Amino acid sequence: MLSIFGLVGGLLLLIVLTIRGMNLFIAAPLCALIVGLTGGLPVFIGEENFVSNYMSGFSGFIASWFFMFLLGSLFGKFMSDTGAADAVASWIIGRLGKKHAVVAVVLACAILTYGGVSVFVVAFSVYPMALSLFKDANLPRRFIPAALAFGSVTFTMTSAGSPEIQNWIPIKYLGTSPFAAWEVSLIVAIIMAALGFLWLNKMIKKAVANGEVFESFAGDPDVPERKLPSPITGIIPLLVVLVISFSFHESLQQLALILALGGGVITLMIINWRYFHNLSNAVNEGTTGALVAIGNTAAVVGFGSVAKATPAFLTAVELTTSIPGNELIGAAVAVSVIAGLTGSASGGQAIALPLIGPHYLDQGVDPEQLHRIVSISSGAIDSLPHNGYVVTTIRAICRETHQRAYGAVGALTVVVPLVGLAIAVALFNIMG
């Protein structure tokens, strides 16, 4: 019982401290220590102790993602420093008008995400253009994280055909394909996209009506007034990243993203070499930004590693994976809760599927329906304030605070996917 209180209390405390802006290098291990101690984990002694569990998750995430964060951050900084991001933003504003600035940001994220680019890297890549678009349209910048997240982790990440890992993990356990239940997936994706667009625009219009405008921050890209490069010089590097990632995703898997981002950075440097404002400064800022972003995320991943080692977590997994009643609802609840506890959509799937997959398949549940429910449900409650992607996007990339930005992010990445999940379950039950 103490372990359960510790797990819930530690998670709630982490969420509160994150929202209040506490440094995650302090908040995450502190909350993890509470979870570990109440769960009976020794701090130093033995193989399964707090320090080893926390550092295993922390260092493991950095080892897996360092080059992607570094190259993604450099790509974003180079887009800003050369003026390529401003050029693309000006072109979009000129063609579509300022009222479509938000649509442009969301679609750019959606295209890259569905092309196989990691959601973390999409945020790095699109942010410079989003900043320019919001500045030109004089829209409140606190909604940039919501626009980036909505285009990346909702109607694209978990949809049929998506090359993102959240759509591929179920294949191993259910024997399905990336296009499992594509008909229902398409309907749900359209509804989620429409609902999210309407809600995001409504929130922004309300903020503008209340007098909110674009605010410049100290540390924003300092690019002097000058002749900008052609917009195509900003679009081509993005296409290079997209094409390479999509072409080599299956054969090279995660290494394809390093190749794609490396290609994008090199292409950007070659095409826009003479437009660099301060290359040395861009490299320094990009490197520092990558370290801060991956460190913040790894700190939260370490919390999840400690949580998974406690008896309370095992109890939560057993309870959620044995929910009686409708099988699809049970699977949705199990994956959602576990993803929320770990702050990871892929983590929720990887823990739940080995347990619920065989259980529900033996009961005759359609594997394609189960695949789609698991995928969609993993991308909802995982986006609580302590989620690694949320923390990285709000704090490290957009340099916003949770208090200003998370309300919109939570509405679009938690509520909208939950609506989509409910619709998917209803449609599958109607179909039988």
Side-chain angles (χ1 to χ4, degrees), residues 221-240:
D222 181 23
V223 181
E225 292 293 330
R226 58 179 174 168
K227 181 181 178 182
L228 296 174
S230 168
I232 196 68
T233 65
I235 294 173
I236 289 176
L238 286 169
L239 291 176
V240 169

Side-chain angles (χ1 to χ4, degrees), residues 152-278:
S152 301
V153 301
T154 56
F155 62 95
T156 51
M157 183 181 77
T158 60
S159 294
S162 171
E164 298 295 332
I165 190 172
Q166 291 80 5
N167 184 47
W168 282 70
I169 291 177
I171 296 173
K172 173 183 177 181
Y173 300 97
L174 304 178
T176 48
S177 79
F179 297 93
W182 68 268
E183 302 93 339
V184 167
S185 178
L186 180 60
I187 294 172
V188 171
I190 291 173
I191 293 174
M192 287 171 62
L195 175 60
F197 269 122
L198 292 173
W199 200 351
L200 178 57
N201 282 320
K202 183 177 180 180
M203 287 188 287
I204 293 176
K205 286 180 179 179
K206 182 179 179 180
V208 171
N210 289 334
E212 290 191 47
V213 295
F214 183 87
E215 307 168 62
S216 294
F217 287 175
D220 279 348
D222 181 23
V223 181
E225 292 293 330
R226 58 179 174 168
K227 181 181 178 182
L228 296 174
S230 168
I232 196 68
T233 65
I235 294 173
I236 289 176
L238 286 169
L239 291 176
V240 169
V241 173
L242 184 63
V243 171
I244 294 178
S245 176
F246 188 79
S247 300
F248 294 96
H249 178 81
E250 289 191 43
S251 58
L252 298 179
Q253 297 183 354
Q254 198 162 311
L255 292 177
L257 196 51
I258 298 177
L259 181 64
L261 286 169
V265 169
I266 293 172
T267 302
L268 186 56
M269 292 182 69
I270 292 173
I271 295 177
N272 284 326
W273 180 260
R274 64 192 180 96
Y275 288 99
F276 271 105
H277 170 52
N278 190 332

